Amino acid sequence: MDCLTHATDSTLPLRAVHPAGLDALLASLPPASAAWLRASGFAAKAQEWRLLPGEAGLAGAVLGLGEDATAAASPWAFGALPFALPEGTDWRIEDAPDAAAATLGWCLGAYRFAGLKSKPQRRAARLVPAPGTEAAQQQAAAIWAGRDLVNQPANHLGPEQLAEAVRRLAAAHGAGFEDISGPALEQGFPAIAAVGQGSPRAPHVAILRWEGAADGPLVALCGKGVCFDTGGLDLKPAAGMLRMKKDMGGAAAMIALADMLMRAGTPIRLLLLVGAVENSVSGTAFRPMDVIRTRKGLSVEIGNTDAEGRLVLADLLAFAGEHKPDLLLDAATLTGAARVALGPDLPALFSDDAELAQSILSAGTKVHDAVWQLPLMKHYVSWLDSPIADLNNVSSKPMAGSVVAALFLQHFVPSGVRWAHLDLYAWNDQSRPGRPEGGEIQSARALLRAVTTLVSPGQPPGR
């Protein structure tokens, strides 16, 4: 993670200022610097910045924070600077409203996925982090790793490679790891096996177990890891496949969340499940109107092979439920309907547990990683009825697609288990401060804070 450095004689100061504090800042600067800022028309608007000249060349820089105090304390206030400031320069931030948020935003803005380019790429300006920002640095590192997974082309990241990423994470934290494939997967995770049977790249279920506290609550995380989704025999159009390497974004988010929880030493027992699979077209692919088994024993008629993610999660949720978790969370790039309803930046949250849902909503607002709750409308469950199986994997009606998908998943969650489902996009369609175009890890920081608050009340993690 090449965004941080240590202080040296060449480290430059970066001043951050609201419009109301601009006069005081100008008065504190050397006369030449103040005159330069006035002449350049600097007004301390949000994302406005200026370099300050000095006798030896560059003396520092000033960043505008704008009028909105909430936005100024967000990670995004500092997210554009790593590639706005001159390449090869090192900086320390003065007057940041929130040093941890500034560090997080700087590092998230310094990320670029360029590992497959043959020519060296422009390096980001680096930050000397302030004391007390270690949690923010850890979260940034987890998000960098997660973004790398989402951005990898599907020919570089298949089911085996995604499972290997979980193996590496387990090794880094001294956690237990199990990789299930072949006949054992076909027997124990039949729905996942059905999704993957059309691909020459066999499916895997990667399992990580970690103890932050031997007597801590069990937190189970389930991630949809569809490394590429053609739609199967219900083939997507070409335009619909262009970003389908990101269909493992839910798994990447859960991997990042697991990384954050372990880095923070959270006093829990952690169970991470990743269903790594590819939904392909071939003579062995599962078909519309097939009826498949699931781990829970429910039979599912396939109304559409492009609704494969819920089949992957069904087996993972059933496995997690067998362990009687105190908290069960899943994340998936599950439905286009959620994006129609909420757009790309706002994951949809589903939960029948009011306290859990409110904890996640409040945490998302606090750490600028927002989600929005949609309802689990119980009378829509009948839309999943099948005449020949326990249920269909798609609705009989062309409405409420994300709600019905969540209701499908709820069939595989044991009664009484605290459960929340996140339907997310996992991608930035365009670059913004702190959020470069490409793969994104959504909801992980919100879930981190919510989990920590629930298991250790009064001690939420730093940003």
Side-chain angles (χ1 to χ4, degrees), residues 33-398:
S33 295
W36 162 250
L37 279 182
R38 291 191 185 96
S40 71
F42 180 75
K45 298 176 183 177
Q47 300 297 327
E48 184 183 16
W49 60 276
R50 296 288 189 278
L51 296 175
L52 297 178
E55 292 183 2
L58 184 59
V62 178
L63 172 70
L65 297 174
E67 301 282 0
D68 187 343
T70 300
S74 81
W76 320 130
F78 293 81
L81 292 175
F83 286 98
L85 297 172
E87 181 178 11
T89 53
D90 296 337
W91 299 84
R92 66 177 185 274
I93 299 175
E94 301 177 2
D95 312 317
D98 185 321
T103 301
L104 177 65
W106 186 292
C107 285
L108 295 184
Y111 174 87
R112 293 293 184 274
F113 182 73
L116 302 177
K117 291 182 176 288
S118 58
K119 295 181 180 179
Q121 301 300 298
R122 186 190 189 281
R123 294 181 297 115
R126 296 185 299 178
L127 176 68
V128 176
T133 62
E134 291 77 15
Q137 297 172 43
Q138 292 171 357
Q139 292 167 36
I143 291 172
W144 271 51
R147 284 174 173 176
D148 276 350
L149 290 174
V150 182
N151 282 321
Q152 285 284 354
N155 64 320
H156 289 252
L157 185 87
E160 182 178 359
Q161 290 75 34
L162 183 56
E164 180 60 27
V166 179
R167 183 194 300 274
R168 292 195 302 269
L169 179 65
H173 293 286
F177 175 77
E178 184 179 1
D179 184 357
I180 301 175
S181 61
L185 185 141
E186 293 171 11
Q187 180 64 33
F189 300 86
I192 296 176
V195 171
Q197 70 190 37
S199 172
R201 303 196 291 182
H204 292 250
V205 171
I207 303 174
L208 178 151
R209 294 180 175 89
W210 176 80
E211 282 193 359
D215 59 348
L218 176 61
V219 177
L221 310 178
C222 299
K224 170 191 171 184
V226 177
C227 296
F228 194 83
D229 181 20
T230 66
L233 293 178
D234 287 310
L235 192 67
K236 294 178 184 288
M241 280 194 232
L242 285 178
R243 290 187 178 137
M244 281 302 99
K245 70 176 186 179
K246 77 172 182 68
D247 211 23
M248 38 63 65
M254 291 293 95
I255 290 170
L257 173 58
D259 193 4
M260 293 177 188
L261 288 165
M262 291 187 288
R263 285 174 183 264
T266 313
I268 60 173
R269 292 173 294 132
L270 180 64
L271 174 65
L272 170 66
L273 305 172
V274 169
V277 64
E278 182 172 46
N279 188 21
S280 295
V281 178
S282 76
T284 60
F286 72 134
R287 295 164 289 264
M289 300 191 75
D290 279 359
V291 175
I292 67 170
R293 296 184 304 114
T294 64
R295 184 180 181 92
K296 189 172 182 178
L298 295 175
S299 59
V300 178
E301 182 183 10
I302 303 303
N304 192 305
T305 63
D306 196 20
E308 85 298 333
R310 64 199 68 182
L311 302 173
V312 173
L313 285 177
D315 275 356
L316 298 183
L317 290 169
F319 181 91
E322 293 164 12
H323 291 73
K324 297 179 171 55
D326 297 278
L327 180 61
L328 175 55
L329 304 172
D330 78 72
T333 51
L334 205 63
T335 68
R339 307 287 67 79
V340 171
L342 300 176
D345 297 334
L346 197 56
L349 166 69
F350 295 89
S351 180
D352 268 346
D353 187 310
E355 181 190 12
L356 174 59
Q358 186 55 52
S359 179
I360 296 171
L361 290 168
S362 298
T365 299
K366 180 69 175 179
V367 301
H368 302 272
D369 191 19
V371 302
W372 193 264
Q373 187 174 13
L374 295 181
L376 287 162
M377 297 293 288
K378 300 303 181 185
H379 60 278
Y380 293 174
V381 171
S382 63
W383 297 1
L384 291 166
D385 287 349
S386 165
I388 62 170
D390 292 317
L391 67 163
N392 202 299
N393 75 324
V394 294
S395 170
S396 60
K397 301 181 185 294

